[in-house]
């Protein structure tokens, strides 16, 4: 299903957002994209991992300055699979992965596009703040068993590099994302962002942080739900056993 607004200047960015029953958060994010980013965004691909009639009605009954394509899953799919499915419908030169729990106080795309214009840049991302305007640890060094122990057991956050950035907000050159084959769908949840960042860099591209802020209302489900903790542990071991991880570690 597709709805297009009347008027508004469309742009070269396709945005992928996945909702897992996050209708209220998505509604706010869509309104902020329409308010701040209408000149940059030409398409929003909204994936419903669960049935959300109220969100569908909201999208269909609102006038938008960009096209919205709603993808309805018959059964829940993974983070990687959902965004790869959305990317299959993208024809713009830029592809943006966004969490529904983001808040935009301005248009971040000019700064992100500027960051992507730097030599060999393949992915750009904004500075993520929490609701108290405190900087989050959205970019980190490559996770190792020792660094994970220090982080989880000793409470020591990594601050010695930006080998990867979390998947809450990532702007890719579409040709780079396509060349990488998108997110690795063998990761059910967690570490797919680590994996794509290291594969991107192994192909000679760079991650670039744009000097623009967004607010990320991070859910941190790992610490509250047993199944998320299990998925996280499984993903960590898959990452540590992967060829890209070891090539990146000893590059």
């Amino acid at each position: 299903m597709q709805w297009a607004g009347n008027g508004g200047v469309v742009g070269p960015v396709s945005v992928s957002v996945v909702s897992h029953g996050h209708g209220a958060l998505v509604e706010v994010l869509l309104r902020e994209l329409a308010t701040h980013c209408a000149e940059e965004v030409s398409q929003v691909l909204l994936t419903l991992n669960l049935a959300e009639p109220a969100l569908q009605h909201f999208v269909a009954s609102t006038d938008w300055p960009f096209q919205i394509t709603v993808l309805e899953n018959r059964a829940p799919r993974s983070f990687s699979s959902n965004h790869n499915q959305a990317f299959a419908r993208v024809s713009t030169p830029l592809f943006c992965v966004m969490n529904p729990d983001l808040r935009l106080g301005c248009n971040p795309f000019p700064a992100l596009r500027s960051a992507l214009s730097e030599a060999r840049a393949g992915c750009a991302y904004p500075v993520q703040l929490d609701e108290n305007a405190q900087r989050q640890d959205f970019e980190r060094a490559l996770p190792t068993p020792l660094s994970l122990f220090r982080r989880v057991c000793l409470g020591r956050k990594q601050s010695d590099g930006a080998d990867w950035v979390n998947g809450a907000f990532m702007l890719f050159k579409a040709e780079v994302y396509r060349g990488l084959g998108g997110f690795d769908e063998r990761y059910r949840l967690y570490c797919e962002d680590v994996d794509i960042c290291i594969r991107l860099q192994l192909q000679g591209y760079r991650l670039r942080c744009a000097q623009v802020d967004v607010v990320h209302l991070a859910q941190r489900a790992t610490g509250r739900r047993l199944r998320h903790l299990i998925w996280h542990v499984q993903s960590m071991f898959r990452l540590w056993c992967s060829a890209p991880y070891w090539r990146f570690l000893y590059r």
Side-chain angles (χ1 to χ4, degrees), residues 14 21 24 27 32 34 39 85 115 134 159 166 185 195-196 199:
S14 292
E27 289 183 16
E32 291 185 341
E39 294 185 357
Q85 173 186 243
Q134 298 299 307
S159 59
N166 70 27
E185 296 186 17
D195 171 77
I196 200 170
R199 287 190 291 116

Side-chain angles (χ1 to χ4, degrees), residues 188 190 225-232 234:
R188 178 181 178 88
Y190 304 110
R225 301 175 185 171
L226 178 59
R227 66 175 179 174
H228 282 259
L229 177 60
I230 293 172
W231 290 340
H232 204 163
Q234 290 174 335

Side-chain angles (χ1 to χ4, degrees), residues 194-207:
V194 186
D195 171 77
I196 200 170
C197 285
I198 63 178
R199 287 190 291 116
L200 179 147
Q201 292 171 89
L202 286 171
Q203 290 197 12
Y205 297 103
R206 297 177 180 177
L207 301 171

